[in-house]
Amino acid sequence: MNTRMTPPMKTGFALMRLALCLTGPVAIWLSWRWTGSAGGLAPFDGFLTAARGLAGFGATAFVIACVIALMRISGDGLAARLARAAHASAWLVLYLLIIGPTAYLIAPVSAIVATHGHDLLRPSTGDALSASARPMALIGQALALMASALPLLAAPLGWISSDIALYAWISLLWLAAAFTLHRFLPRSMQGQG
């Protein structure tokens, strides 16, 4: 499918993925503010239905962005790199805003976001935002996306009060940070990654 996509089409899919990756977390944040925060926005008629709709849109946006990523049709242009950075970082920052700057969360999220920022400012072939990412960077991105997806599954699967799900999520975050930061090690320590 890659060979049949024209550059404008690849750019279009990249921009659509970027838009989904930015508007999805905003929608979920608004939903949380309306329903789970005493200092949230003022209620209005049907606000609960609207809040659930926003949360549903956010989760759907994440899934559609994942499908676009799996199709590998967005190339390696600036829009595609921005979309890859936003796909993990935007959702992880969302959770940081909702849960708060707790020690177990702020360190791995900051590491992932900072690495994505570095890769945007100083792009290189094979980095975490490249379409041809090296194995270790690719594993880091996959783990970051898994960590982004797990909280979206918590409510429908009844995992909100599950300690096991919480520990699994924290472990995913730290593993994602470790694999993402792996490329900053000296080359002699990186092995084949």
Side-chain angles (χ1 to χ4, degrees):
M1 189 165 188
N2 240 344
T3 56
R4 297 186 179 185
M5 297 293 293
T6 63
M9 293 174 69
K10 289 184 178 182
T11 301
F13 273 103
L15 291 173
M16 185 172 78
R17 183 183 175 191
L18 178 60
L20 291 169
C21 292
L22 293 177
T23 57
V26 171
I28 293 177
W29 181 83
L30 283 172
S31 173
W32 168 74
R33 288 285 289 176
W34 287 347
T35 60
S37 174
L41 302 178
F44 55 89
D45 288 341
F47 85 99
L48 189 59
T49 300
R52 288 174 178 169
L54 285 171
F57 167 79
T60 303
F62 183 88
V63 172
I64 295 175
C66 285
V67 171
I68 294 174
L70 289 172
M71 292 171 71
R72 300 179 66 82
I73 55 179
S74 54
D76 204 15
L78 177 59
R81 293 179 68 86
L82 286 169
R84 292 187 187 103
H87 203 166
S89 294
W91 264 272
L92 293 179
V93 170
L94 166 71
Y95 305 141
L96 190 63
L97 290 173
I98 291 177
I99 297 174
T102 52
Y104 66 81
L105 183 59
I106 193 170
V109 171
S110 297
I112 293 169
V113 173
T115 302
H116 287 163
H118 176 274
D119 290 348
L120 284 172
L121 293 174
R122 300 186 63 182
S124 64
T125 303
D127 65 26
L129 302 183
S130 173
S132 55
R134 290 187 293 269
M136 296 297 281
L138 192 60
I139 292 172
Q141 281 290 78
L143 289 171
L145 287 178
M146 290 172 63
S148 299
L150 191 57
L152 298 179
L153 295 172
L157 295 179
W159 293 349
I160 291 179
S161 59
S162 170
D163 288 339
I164 294 177
L166 176 61
Y167 296 145
W169 184 51
I170 295 171
S171 299
L172 274 176
L173 280 172
W174 282 96
L175 279 172
F179 276 90
T180 302
L181 292 172
H182 178 271
R183 74 183 198 83
F184 291 107
L185 294 174
R187 289 190 178 275
S188 59
M189 299 175 64
Q190 291 188 25
Q192 297 298 319

